[in-house]
Amino acid sequence: MRLLRHVLLLLFAACTSIAISDNLTSEVTWDSYSLIVNGERVFIFSGEFHYARLPNPELWRDVLEKYKANGLNAVSIYFFWSLHSPRRGVCDFETPARDVQHLLDIAKVVGLYVIARPGPYCNAETNGGGLALWGSDGSLGKLRTSDETYHQAWLPWITEIDTILAKNQITEGGNVILIQIENELQETTHSATNTLVLYMEQLENATRDAGMVIPTTHNEKGERSESWSTDYENVGGAVNVYGLDSYPGGLSCTNINTGFEVVRNYYQWFQNYSDTQPEYLPEFEGEYPGYFTPWGGSFYDQCLEEHDPAFADVYLKNNIGQHVTLMSLYMAFGGTNWGNLAAPVVYTSYDYSAPLRETREVENKFKQTKLIGLFTRVSEDLLEAQMESNGTGNAVSSSGVYSWVLRNINNAAGFYTLQQSDTASRAVVTFSTTLQTSAGTVVLHNVQLNGRQSKIITTDYHLGNLTLLYCSADILTYGTFDIPILVLYLDVGQIGEFAFKSAPGNMFFEPYGSANVTALSGSTNGTTSYGSTSYTKYTYTQTTGSTVLHFPNGLLVYLLDLETAWSFFAPATTANPRITPSGQVFALGPYNVRNVSVSGDHVSLIGDNANTTNLEVYAGSEANVIIWNGVQLATKRTAYGSLTATAPGASDRTIDLPTLSWVVADSLPEAKRNYDDSKWTVCNKTSSLSPTTPLSLPILFSSDYGYYPGVKIYRGYFDGTSATSANVTAQGGLAAGFNAYLNGKYVGGNTGNATLGNAWALLNFAGATQYNKSNVLTVVTDYTGHDETSTGPDGVENARGLLGAVLYSGNSTLSNFTQWKIQGNAGGPANIDPVRGSLNEDGIHSTRLGWHLPGFDTTSWPAGSPYDGLNQSGINWYITRFNLSIDADLDVPLGIELDAPSGSEASVQLYVNGYQYGKFIPQIGPQTRFPFPPGVINNNGENTISLSVWAQTDAGAKLTNATLFAYNQYQTGFNFNQDWSNLQPGWASDRLQYV
């Protein structure tokens, strides 16, 4: 009777479930269970992608195809205002790396929904939090408030980007289904007149005025406040679908035994604050998929714990158990903070320990994610399920196990998510589970969790015309071809058991593989009004590899061990992000399968393979021939109807990388007293809009003079010979130092600190020659980005460059400098290299004159190696040119490894074909390996790499390593061998004006 009462309650819930809309469109609606797109429920499984961190737009397809291949059906995208707007009144959406329409087109072709996040504030560990750097002089007004100055600053950006997005909404034939308003803005005061409420309403009005009709959303900054949900304290500014950011794991790079502390109150949180909406985690990170690491921290390759695929298994299934049906991984691919894109809290790499590495390589935890993504995309029963029970010992015989039980409101299908009560435990626990099925109660014995493992046991699970009464193995996916195919997975040595909901019949099946499967009669305990029900149960112990069961009705059941399951793919035969069980092909064996097409008896797969592997494909009985990356393979048919062949790899292919030979030139002529700075910008302001208080006058903040990113150089003049020292304070961000030279002589500086954003030094003039007139103090200030911004006048508006400089004679303060001049990136906000963009350059002499660009003439330069370096403080510029000839069918992620002697104090920048693709600070670290993608590097043709080596003390500086290397190599069907010349504009003589 208990089960009958529960079924009646579920039926009542089904009758009362009504879809909700924003009253502007019916194409995207929702209720408390899920999002409903074009009238169909869908589990949204998304990954964050920052196109800004990958400047080759053709590789956006590479990343998004790997998202799709590994189980994701959506992509969440930040659009950084800072990337597109070099100066007030200008937004660039046309140059290749900023062509967002191209990105949206790719997402549609690949078959991914899009969650758009245009800011204006994004955070994302990006320079200024994504706010336009031209506003870093304080002219943006009161940031992230309803202040009208700020309103008028961001309004053109939101209008322009949302107008593009509006044309790509699902209502217009595109794939954009949600738009986020602002980012992690906390509503701490629930009042209609609160400035944050008014700000959110300004943004929503601008979004709707630009033509956006799809539902709005927002992401709550952890469980810290209750913001912007229509279901809670809605005094204005609330969005349609509430989202909760979650960062559940603590950061640990070197200790694999820490972490794994899941959050178990998501369900209750959403019930409290957004009970009429689906549960949405717009940024799910923490230990999975990773975390950013700071200057002076650990490098991502050291983060062993964060690469563990068990994180995906435990954390993602925990979310499913709590009724989450919208989820986005932050980051699914991190990319690179090239061209001064980083905020000071991160260094060049934004790998993030993401499941798709910075090198575009698939981590095992992405393969584990794929198992969950393929399950959720075909499990329609999951999308109208509600919480039945949860807790320690719930539905299980052990208090060491925690379970969540969801039950479908229409057909009573059940989903039992099991995990250890202490999810950090590495113990192996075996227990019994009590399942409520439509045929009565079933008790499963010998269920096992192998340490950090979760399981989703199913009951009354529908697959095509069949129903599983129960299944103790995890369902990977199922497909409805000419026959139904079910795919299950377990750890090796674990016991699996399943039964179908049908009258006892022929137990016969034909096994192919090593697993020993037995068929026995079973019965429920008679808790239904129909009494005990008999069934046939199939029990097995999982062995290594694949075992296939062929049943008389044509059903195939694949029994895979976990690592074999990682190489299982279900590429879609349609570009519709909502993939049905009949709209896919199954493939087992290779490293990656991107796309599939079926024509006649040919099934064509496009993919990637590091090693030669077996390839098994099921595409229906008519398919006879496998084509892999355009090459027909020798194909055989198995006894149970699949096709097999051998897919080639690249492990036996030779990659020739050159030993680099360098030429050198001095890159700090500005230190000399007689350097001609007549074209430099004079610092003549006595006040600033910046919230930073100047330490001397005139104002020396670089943004006040139109220089935003990168290293800046100052020249300060004074007369007389009585000065003995100067107190100089610079602010370039965490880890950024400065150096000073009096009339060409190094007089001191600060080599930076990983935890301090400013640096100061008392400069000793004792060793420098002084003159009665026109002494020149040259100061070079380093830069690691503008600060991110929280509510209020800080963040991006915190000054960069010099905060002040004061002369002393002994203990007495002298009259101030007679004049200061500043030089930053060539052209300042003019954006003279629009392809690479306004953030890419800095004020170093060589960069201003374009020495980093392909085609710059170095024929007169002497040979010189960064291994020799400098024997005193200064900046040397090293250039190497070389040709690559990588086979067209190979993907070879390349990088350069830099190292310096212990105790070195330097700041080194790496330019690859004009792109600033690395910043190496050896005394702070941690990064020494710098990858760069095709398009930045030419796989075939000439390449130019430049290194600026800045010795920050008079001890000098040199490198002990500057070696080109390959991370790996893959045989591929993706075209990495293209002409990238449009991404690499070369040197032109107009650069000579920026001396």
Side-chain angles (χ1 to χ4, degrees):
M1 291 302 293
R2 175 177 171 268
L3 180 62
L4 180 59
R5 285 196 301 271
H6 184 71
V7 170
L8 291 174
L9 288 172
L10 293 177
L11 291 174
F12 174 77
C15 293
T16 57
S17 177
I18 300 174
I20 304 169
S21 77
D22 61 4
N23 296 319
L24 295 173
T25 178
S26 60
E27 276 87 344
V28 184
T29 58
W30 66 92
D31 59 17
S32 62
Y33 299 107
S34 74
L35 214 60
I36 303 167
V37 181
N38 287 327
E40 301 283 353
R41 291 190 180 276
V42 62
F43 189 109
I44 300 296
F45 201 171
S46 171
E48 186 77 15
F49 174 56
H50 297 164
Y51 62 95
R53 288 182 160 116
L54 184 60
N56 182 350
E58 296 312 307
L59 296 193
W60 300 344
R61 183 188 301 269
D62 174 44
V63 169
L64 296 191
E65 284 184 350
K66 287 171 179 170
Y67 278 22
K68 184 74 171 285
N70 287 281
L72 305 184
N73 64 357
V75 56
S76 174
I77 305 171
Y78 271 136
F79 298 87
F80 297 144
W81 183 12
S82 56
L83 183 77
H84 292 268
S85 183
R87 58 188 180 275
R88 187 183 291 271
V90 173
C91 279
D92 174 13
F93 295 106
E94 297 180 357
T95 51
R98 294 157 194 80
D99 187 350
V100 299
Q101 184 58 57
H102 184 57
L103 174 60
L104 296 168
D105 290 342
I106 290 173
K108 184 176 180 181
V109 169
V110 170
L112 294 172
Y113 294 119
V114 174
I115 300 169
R117 310 209 293 169
Y121 179 72
C122 297
N123 201 69
E125 293 74 56
T126 195
N127 203 329
L131 296 176
L133 291 193
W134 51 257
S136 60
D137 61 357
S139 62
L140 288 178
K142 295 180 181 178
L143 305 176
R144 304 179 74 192
T145 73
S146 61
D147 172 59
E148 190 58 21
T149 299
Y150 180 57
H151 182 197
Q152 293 306 314
W154 62 252
L155 184 58
W157 159 251
I158 289 295
T159 299
E160 289 197 50
I161 184 61
D162 282 1
T163 298
I164 296 172
L165 293 170
K167 297 174 183 176
N168 292 274
Q169 295 175 100
I170 198 163
T171 56
E172 302 296 324
N175 279 19
V176 182
I177 57 171
L178 292 172
I179 184 163
Q180 181 173 300
I181 306 296
E182 236 277 350
N183 180 69
E184 294 182 342
L185 186 70
Q186 294 177 266
E187 185 181 13
T188 55
T189 302
H190 298 283
S191 167
T193 59
N194 182 269
T195 187
L196 301 186
V197 173
L198 297 175
Y199 171 44
M200 285 290 286
E201 291 182 339
Q202 288 173 341
L203 282 166
E204 290 177 21
N205 289 336
T207 299
R208 296 310 189 192
D209 289 345
M212 299 299 295
V213 298
I214 55 173
T216 58
T217 186
H218 185 78
N219 54 333
E220 180 63 65
K221 191 176 183 178
E223 296 179 353
R224 306 180 193 180
S225 58
E226 302 82 31
S227 305
W228 318 121
S229 173
T230 55
D231 296 337
Y232 182 86
E233 295 282 350
N234 181 15
V235 297
V239 296
N240 300 130
V241 179
Y242 170 87
L244 173 68
D245 278 7
S246 185
Y247 316 91
L251 174 63
S252 174
C253 276
T254 56
N255 186 352
I256 199 168
N257 292 312
T258 61
F260 275 87
E261 299 297 333
V262 300
V263 175
R264 288 189 170 132
N265 72 335
Y266 293 145
Y267 175 74
Q268 191 58 55
W269 183 274
F270 285 110
Q271 289 299 299
N272 290 345
Y273 303 118
S274 58
D275 61 294
T276 70
Q277 304 160 35
E279 296 182 23
Y280 176 31
L281 298 175
E283 289 187 19
F284 187 72
E285 57 171 342
E287 298 292 1
Y288 183 86
Y291 203 76
F292 67 86
T293 62
W295 288 103
S298 298
F299 190 59
Y300 298 103
D301 288 347
Q302 300 171 274
C303 298
L304 302 177
E305 183 185 47
E306 294 181 2
H307 299 303
D308 190 341
F311 271 109
D313 195 55
V314 172
Y315 278 79
L316 298 181
K317 289 177 183 175
N318 178 67
N319 295 348
I320 292 170
Q322 296 193 64
H323 201 244
V324 172
T325 57
L326 285 87
M327 179 166 51
S328 189
L329 308 179
Y330 190 102
M331 297 289 299
F333 168 77
T336 305
N337 291 310
W338 66 278
N340 296 300
L341 191 64
V345 294
V346 288
Y347 42 91
T348 301
S349 177
Y350 200 63
D351 179 88
Y352 219 87
S353 294
L356 186 61
R357 299 300 302 274
E358 184 179 7
T359 55
R360 300 169 293 100
E361 295 176 278
V362 178
E363 277 278 297
N364 283 341
K365 67 179 176 183
F366 211 1
K367 299 176 183 180
Q368 182 69 40
T369 301
K370 173 181 59 182
L371 308 185
I372 299 164
L374 296 184
F375 168 69
T376 56
R377 84 181 190 187
V378 297
S379 297
E380 294 187 5
D381 292 342
L382 186 61
L383 295 177
E384 285 187 282
Q386 63 183 23
M387 188 66 65
E388 179 178 274
S389 61
N390 61 78
T392 298
N394 177 59
V396 295
S397 62
S398 170
S399 61
V401 176
Y402 194 102
S403 75
W404 305 91
V405 181
L406 301 177
R407 190 77 61 184
N408 185 281
I409 61 173
N410 297 309
N411 56 28
F415 299 85
Y416 293 68
T417 299
L418 311 178
Q419 56 192 213
Q420 296 212 38
S421 298
D422 175 10
T423 50
S425 170
R426 293 188 178 277
V428 176
V429 57
T430 303
F431 53 95
S432 298
T433 302
T434 301
L435 307 177
Q436 302 299 329
T437 78
S438 59
T441 302
V442 174
V443 178
L444 289 178
H445 302 286
N446 297 315
V447 180
Q448 186 181 87
L449 291 174
N450 184 8
R452 296 171 169 184
Q453 180 186 24
S454 284
K455 291 179 181 291
I456 299 179
I457 292 177
T458 50
T459 63
D460 293 285
Y461 183 90
H462 297 83
L463 50 150
N465 295 323
L466 297 173
T467 302
L468 277 170
L469 183 63
Y470 65 85
C471 181
S472 70
D474 271 290
I475 295 173
L476 198 167
T477 189
Y478 73 90
T480 52
F481 301 89
D482 47 347
I483 59 172
I485 300 179
L486 173 66
V487 186
L488 309 177
Y489 66 95
L490 282 171
D491 281 359
V492 171
Q494 291 187 327
I495 295 172
E497 183 177 319
F498 61 92
F500 292 97
K501 185 179 178 181
S502 60
N506 193 338
M507 296 182 184
F508 175 79
F509 59 89
E510 191 70 37
Y512 300 89
S514 59
N516 181 20
V517 183
T518 60
L520 300 170
S521 294
S523 63
T524 62
N525 68 1
T527 58
T528 71
S529 58
Y530 301 103
S532 298
T533 301
S534 299
Y535 54 85
T536 300
K537 60 181 180 181
Y538 302 90
T539 305
Y540 65 98
T541 300
Q542 183 63 54
T543 55
T544 300
S546 169
T547 296
V548 178
L549 310 182
H550 189 191
F551 287 83
N553 62 357
L555 170 70
L556 296 182
V557 179
Y558 279 75
L559 310 177
L560 308 179
D561 77 274
L562 180 64
E563 293 194 16
T564 300
W566 289 346
S567 64
F568 180 91
F569 296 86
T573 57
T574 173
N576 188 336
R578 188 179 182 277
I579 301 168
T580 64
S582 61
Q584 52 189 345
V585 165
F586 287 171
L588 179 64
Y591 163 80
N592 186 51
V593 178
R594 298 170 179 271
N595 296 305
V596 67
S597 62
V598 180
S599 178
D601 65 346
H602 287 54
V603 53
S604 297
L605 302 169
I606 304 296
D608 313 270
N609 228 11
N611 303 305
T612 299
T613 62
N614 294 324
L615 173 60
E616 182 172 351
V617 176
Y618 199 95
S621 58
E622 293 184 1
N624 289 310
V625 178
I626 298 174
I627 297 175
W628 173 261
N629 291 338
V631 177
Q632 184 171 315
L633 305 180
T635 306
K636 298 179 181 179
R637 186 177 294 278
T638 65
Y640 48 88
S642 67
L643 304 178
T644 61
T646 300
S651 58
D652 60 344
R653 307 282 283 277
T654 300
I655 307 297
D656 292 322
L657 299 178
T659 300
L660 303 179
S661 299
W662 304 85
V663 293
V664 64
D666 172 43
S667 190
L668 190 56
E670 300 92 342
K672 297 181 175 64
R673 177 172 177 255
N674 62 353
Y675 180 82
D676 182 3
D677 60 15
S678 59
K679 294 183 179 180
W680 286 32
T681 302
V682 175
C683 300
N684 54 11
K685 295 186 178 183
T686 57
S687 63
S688 174
L689 294 173
S690 172
T692 304
T693 301
L695 302 180
S696 65
L697 294 177
I699 298 293
L700 299 176
F701 307 158
S702 62
S703 292
D704 283 51
Y705 300 99
Y707 298 114
Y708 312 125
V711 174
K712 287 89 179 177
I713 302 180
Y714 294 83
R715 284 168 60 87
Y717 288 83
F718 66 93
D719 296 332
T721 60
S722 60
T724 59
S725 62
N727 190 325
V728 172
T729 303
Q731 186 163 272
L734 302 176
F738 73 92
N739 278 176
Y741 308 84
L742 179 57
N743 298 324
K745 172 66 176 177
Y746 171 76
V747 292
N750 188 309
T751 59
N753 186 295
T755 61
L756 296 177
N758 59 14
W760 74 275
L762 185 64
L763 308 177
N764 187 344
F765 291 173
T769 301
Q770 296 187 49
Y771 302 86
N772 290 325
K773 291 287 185 180
S774 299
N775 295 293
V776 180
L777 182 68
T778 300
V779 184
V780 186
T781 65
D782 209 352
Y783 177 83
T784 58
H786 276 75
D787 297 323
E788 297 173 293
T789 304
S790 59
T791 302
D794 52 9
V796 70
E797 296 182 323
N798 290 337
R800 289 295 179 260
L802 290 182
L803 303 188
V806 179
L807 288 170
Y808 295 102
S809 177
N811 294 324
S812 301
T813 302
L814 290 176
S815 298
N816 214 338
F817 290 83
T818 59
Q819 187 180 59
W820 278 97
K821 293 184 177 182
I822 182 174
Q823 186 65 280
N825 60 302
N831 196 24
I832 63 173
D833 183 1
V835 171
R836 298 179 184 89
S838 60
L839 300 180
N840 186 62
E841 298 188 9
D842 59 31
I844 292 178
H845 181 82
S846 314
T847 319
R848 301 198 314 267
L849 270 62
W851 295 2
H852 61 300
L853 299 173
F856 174 71
D857 185 7
T858 60
T859 55
S860 63
W861 285 26
S865 170
Y867 297 158
D868 298 326
L870 301 89
N871 58 15
Q872 61 183 1
S873 180
I875 302 175
N876 272 3
W877 194 271
Y878 299 91
I879 294 178
T880 183
R881 290 195 171 93
F882 56 90
N883 284 281
L884 292 177
S885 181
I886 296 175
D887 292 346
D889 68 332
L890 293 183
D891 177 16
V892 183
L894 297 174
I896 192 169
E897 186 159 16
L898 304 178
D899 206 351
S902 177
S904 295
E905 295 183 297
S907 180
V908 179
Q909 292 195 104
L910 164 71
Y911 281 89
V912 182
N913 290 322
Y915 288 85
Q916 195 264 35
Y917 240 78
K919 193 174 186 76
F920 171 51
I921 305 180
Q923 68 270 26
I924 294 178
Q927 187 172 3
T928 60
R929 305 179 98 206
F930 298 86
F932 29 77
V936 171
I937 197 80
N938 295 310
N939 287 4
N940 281 274
E942 187 176 63
N943 295 282
T944 299
I945 288 182
S946 301
L947 291 174
S948 66
V949 179
W950 172 6
Q952 294 187 309
T953 71
D954 251 355
K958 64 181 180 179
L959 300 182
T960 54
N961 192 16
T963 305
L964 199 65
F965 71 98
Y967 287 84
N968 213 322
Q969 54 198 55
Y970 303 88
Q971 197 276 334
T972 182
F974 192 94
N975 183 13
F976 293 100
N977 184 24
Q978 299 183 36
D979 177 4
W980 308 115
S981 57
N982 67 317
L983 302 179
Q984 301 172 12
W987 185 85
S989 60
D990 59 0
R991 278 285 186 162
L992 298 175
Q993 67 183 296
Y994 298 108
V995 291

